[in-house]
Amino acid sequence: MKFKTDGLIIFESAYGDKDRYVSVLTRKKGVIRAVVKGAFNLISQKSSATRLMCYSDFIVYENGERYYIDSAESKEMFVGLRNDVVKMSLAQYFCQLCYELCPSDISSEGFLRTMLNSLYMLANGNKPNNLVKAVFEMRMLALAGYMPDLTCCKGCGEFENDKMLFVPQEDCIYCEKCRDMARHRSVCTGLSATAALRHSIYAEDKKIFSFSLSDEALNIFSSCAEDYLISKIEKKLPTLDFYKTISIM
């Protein structure tokens, strides 16, 4: 059985001497794992179109329990990432997180849009790396079923004050008056970081990066997003550790 789909390569490795094994975030079937026959033939169009972080159109066929990529035509290579070691390391983290969170065998259009928007912003935009990272983390978690309730204080329903508290392990926020209701560690987010957390999960796809923050608010937003991620996936991601190491050099 053959099918056509667009998709983004989020993992690649050698498969024998001539072939490549890839994981592809596809629009139609989520993450699929496939063999690319003859991928190391430099004159093959599949050679460049099936490299890590390449967005391509694919024709895929299924043989038994395995997928094979019959043809691939590159649509976007995200060249702006490949000359910046910090951005490249962050993009690799995005790919690993996508591999962890995205489903298989079902439509994954939202995940693919978020990945493409985030990589494009990282490669071509003027937003700080940590803002792109935090938006990506919150959006991907929300798509994967880990959307926190940030509409109002869980205790009294207050929408906004300058001492709003985010509780990552409880998926919610509290106002200052209700802070004693929190059973786990809370972070005082303030107005700007609270708005950023809300925007990252509730905004339209095309507007998820349409805001800016002061350095202080960005640090809070970035820390909250990462804390929330770690509380949900409960495992270490080597690419995140590497990005954090290399970004402070």
Side-chain angles (χ1 to χ4, degrees):
M1 182 184 72
K2 283 190 178 184
F3 62 91
K4 295 180 180 180
T5 185
D6 56 334
L8 178 77
I9 304 292
I10 59 172
F11 172 82
E12 65 165 339
S13 66
Y15 188 75
D17 295 332
K18 299 180 181 179
D19 305 333
R20 180 178 292 144
Y21 184 74
V22 296
S23 294
V24 193
L25 173 59
T26 69
R27 190 178 303 272
K28 293 183 177 181
K29 287 183 174 287
V31 176
I32 65 170
R33 288 116 186 132
V35 175
V36 188
K37 304 288 287 184
F40 288 103
N41 181 350
L42 296 181
I43 64 172
S44 170
Q45 191 174 33
K46 291 188 290 187
S47 178
S48 60
T50 57
R51 297 303 307 269
L52 184 66
M53 284 177 284
C54 186
Y55 173 52
S56 303
D57 283 326
F58 300 101
I59 295 179
V60 183
Y61 69 91
E62 189 174 359
N63 187 354
E65 296 183 354
R66 178 161 290 173
Y67 289 110
Y68 293 85
I69 293 179
D70 194 40
S71 67
E73 183 175 350
S74 173
K75 295 163 69 74
E76 175 61 61
M77 299 286 289
F78 299 105
V79 176
L81 297 174
R82 301 175 192 274
N83 299 320
D84 187 316
V85 66
V86 175
K87 288 186 175 183
M88 188 65 177
S89 67
L90 182 53
Q92 289 173 330
Y93 163 58
F94 288 178
C95 289
Q96 185 179 12
L97 186 57
C98 181
Y99 187 89
E100 294 290 335
L101 293 177
C102 296
S104 299
D105 296 321
I106 64 172
S107 176
S108 297
E109 187 164 346
F111 288 101
L112 181 60
R113 281 200 305 266
T114 300
M115 276 293 294
L116 295 176
N117 288 343
S118 299
L119 292 179
Y120 181 86
M121 182 59 65
L122 197 60
N124 304 293
N126 58 0
K127 300 294 183 182
N129 289 347
N130 275 354
L131 186 146
V132 179
K133 171 180 173 289
V135 170
F136 177 80
E137 289 167 336
M138 294 300 295
R139 193 70 165 205
M140 292 293 278
L141 286 166
L143 288 168
Y146 301 109
M147 181 180 285
D149 182 1
L150 305 181
T151 53
C152 60
C153 169
K154 184 177 180 179
C156 68
E158 182 172 11
F159 175 74
E160 188 173 69
N161 68 47
D162 59 0
K163 293 185 179 179
M164 199 68 83
L165 303 157
F166 178 50
V167 188
Q169 290 182 292
E170 298 178 33
D171 307 349
C172 67
I173 54 177
Y174 291 97
C175 68
E176 176 69 11
K177 294 177 295 186
C178 298
R179 68 179 305 156
D180 291 341
M181 296 178 64
R183 303 183 306 277
H184 298 88
R185 183 181 66 87
S186 62
V187 181
C188 183
T189 54
L191 294 174
S192 296
T194 301
L197 288 165
R198 286 170 170 157
H199 185 91
S200 66
I201 61 173
Y202 297 138
E204 298 176 33
D205 288 330
K206 62 183 179 181
K207 295 181 179 179
I208 58 173
F209 296 108
S210 62
F211 68 96
S212 58
L213 293 169
S214 68
D215 290 345
E216 180 182 5
L218 176 56
N219 287 338
I220 295 170
F221 174 46
S222 177
S223 178
C224 286
E226 189 173 308
D227 284 351
Y228 190 60
L229 170 76
I230 291 169
S231 75
K232 298 308 170 191
I233 64 171
E234 298 181 331
K235 66 186 298 184
K236 291 192 66 174
L237 296 177
T239 52
L240 174 58
D241 292 339
F242 181 71
Y243 166 69
K244 292 170 72 172
T245 298
I246 200 170
S247 63
I248 60 176
M249 288 181 175

